[in-house]
Amino acid sequence: MTRRFAQIDVFSATGTGGNPVAVVLDAEEIPEDRMAAFAQWTNLSETTFVLPPTDPAADYRLRIFTPDGELPFAGHPTLGSAHAWLTSGGRPRSDDPGADIVQECGVGLVRLRRTGARLAFAAPPLRRSGPVDPDTVADVVAALGVATDEVRAAEWVDNGPEWMVLDLGSGERVLELRPDIPALGDHKVGLFGMYGSGDGEVFAEVRAFVPGIGVPEDPVTGSLNAGIATWLRATGRAPASYVAAQGAALGRAGRIHIHDDGENIWVGGDTTTVIEGTVTL
C-alpha cells in the first residue's frame, strides 16, 4: 500500500543541519516486521509510524524504530513527527486555538506545544536516576579514551532510552573526544560539558552514542537533552532557559532550546520538511 511520507530535519533551521527523521503517515495495518525492515532500510537514527490513538486523550499514536529495534520514546522523532502530522492536516482534538498536541507512545502521553514556528515537547519523567556505578563508569571512560578523574559526574537520566550522562567539565572537551565506538557495546552514553560560565549564547555541548541500537553517534538527541535538563534542574546547575549545541562532531549544527516553566521542562527546536511524497510498504 502507498502511504504519505515525509523526512523532517529537527533541531536546525537550515533544513540539513539537524537530525533527520523519516515519518510514515497513515500507518495503520503495516505489520511490525515491515516497520522494522523499513527503519533498517532508511538507516536513519529513527523512523516513525503515525497511527490512530488508543487513548482518548491523545491526538495520534507514534511508534519509533531505530535500525535495530523499537524505542518507547525519543525526542527528535517526537518533534519531527508532530511537524509532519500538522503539515499533513492533523489538528488537536481540543477546539482551543492554543491547545497542546498530545502524542501517545511507549512511555504514555507526551504533550507538545507550538511557540511561533517552533515545536517543543514536555520532558517525560525519569524512569531511572541517580549516580552511575563505578564499574560501569570505568567501562565507559575506557571506551571514550578519558581518565576517570575527568568525569565530574555520571548520572542515569533514563526517560525511555536508558541514557547515562557524563559531565566532562567543558564543551571543548566533549568535542575533542574520538571514542572507540565498538567498545561502548550496548551502553547508551551522553556527554555534557558547559561553555565557560554558562552565560553565553550556547550553554553547553552535548554528544550521544548508542551503537547497540545501530546508531554509533546520534547527530542531535531530544530525549538525552530532556534527561540532562531534568538532572540540571534537580541540581540547580542551569538557568530556566538555555540553548544546548549538538552535532558539530558530525558536521551538523543542532540547537536544542530548553525552557523550564516551573512545572514542565520544554525541549524545543526548529523543524523543516526536506522530503515529502509517498512510500510503498
Side-chain angles (χ1 to χ4, degrees):
M1 294 180 66
T2 299
R3 320 285 177 140
R4 291 180 296 169
F5 173 83
Q7 192 158 305
I8 313 299
D9 190 51
V10 183
F11 292 124
S12 170
T14 68
T16 55
N19 198 357
V21 58
V23 183
V24 178
L25 298 147
D26 313 314
E28 304 98 310
E29 300 179 9
I30 300 176
E32 183 175 305
D33 61 343
R34 292 297 298 150
M35 292 182 180
F38 185 63
Q40 187 178 49
W41 181 82
T42 67
N43 201 34
L44 298 175
S45 55
E46 281 98 0
T47 298
T48 68
F49 300 84
V50 180
L51 298 152
T54 60
D55 189 314
D59 294 304
Y60 59 87
R61 181 164 63 98
L62 196 69
R63 295 189 69 175
I64 305 166
F65 287 80
T66 73
D68 201 43
E70 187 171 4
L71 295 175
F73 170 74
H76 97 274
T78 291
L79 296 180
S81 299
H83 173 104
W85 179 76
L86 287 166
T87 56
S88 68
R91 293 292 177 267
R93 290 175 182 266
S94 172
D95 293 330
D96 183 346
D100 289 345
I101 301 158
V102 181
Q103 170 184 290
E104 178 185 353
C105 58
V107 296
L109 300 181
V110 176
R111 288 195 295 135
L112 294 104
R113 182 165 293 175
R114 288 170 287 187
T115 303
R118 185 175 291 153
L119 286 162
F121 65 85
L126 297 183
R127 307 191 304 182
R128 181 182 184 183
S129 59
V132 181
D133 63 275
D135 289 343
T136 300
V137 173
D139 285 346
V140 170
V141 297
L144 294 175
V146 300
T148 303
D149 60 10
E150 290 187 74
V151 179
R152 297 192 177 186
E155 190 84 2
W156 292 108
V157 292
D158 176 354
N159 53 14
E162 298 166 339
W163 289 114
M164 70 178 77
V165 58
L166 276 59
D167 180 357
L168 296 185
S170 75
E172 292 84 358
R173 185 63 178 128
V174 168
L175 286 176
E176 287 174 356
L177 294 192
R178 297 295 179 266
D180 180 347
I181 298 295
L184 285 171
D186 291 331
H187 294 302
K188 298 176 177 67
V189 179
L191 304 181
F192 166 85
M194 195 170 72
Y195 282 112
S197 60
D199 56 2
E201 180 181 350
V202 174
F203 175 74
E205 193 74 37
V206 173
R207 292 177 73 181
F209 304 96
V210 277
I213 59 171
V215 185
E217 179 167 1
D218 196 36
V220 200
T221 317
S223 60
L224 174 60
N225 277 278
I228 290 171
T230 303
W231 172 44
L232 294 178
R233 170 202 263 185
T235 55
R237 297 181 54 209
S241 296
Y242 67 85
V243 177
Q246 189 180 349
L250 298 175
R252 310 289 176 86
R255 293 294 183 270
I256 305 95
H257 296 259
I258 303 293
H259 176 64
D260 184 347
D261 66 8
E263 180 181 359
N264 291 296
I265 295 173
W266 295 94
V267 181
D270 294 297
T271 52
T272 305
T273 302
V274 178
I275 300 171
E276 194 170 27
T278 60
V279 61
T280 302
L281 288 174

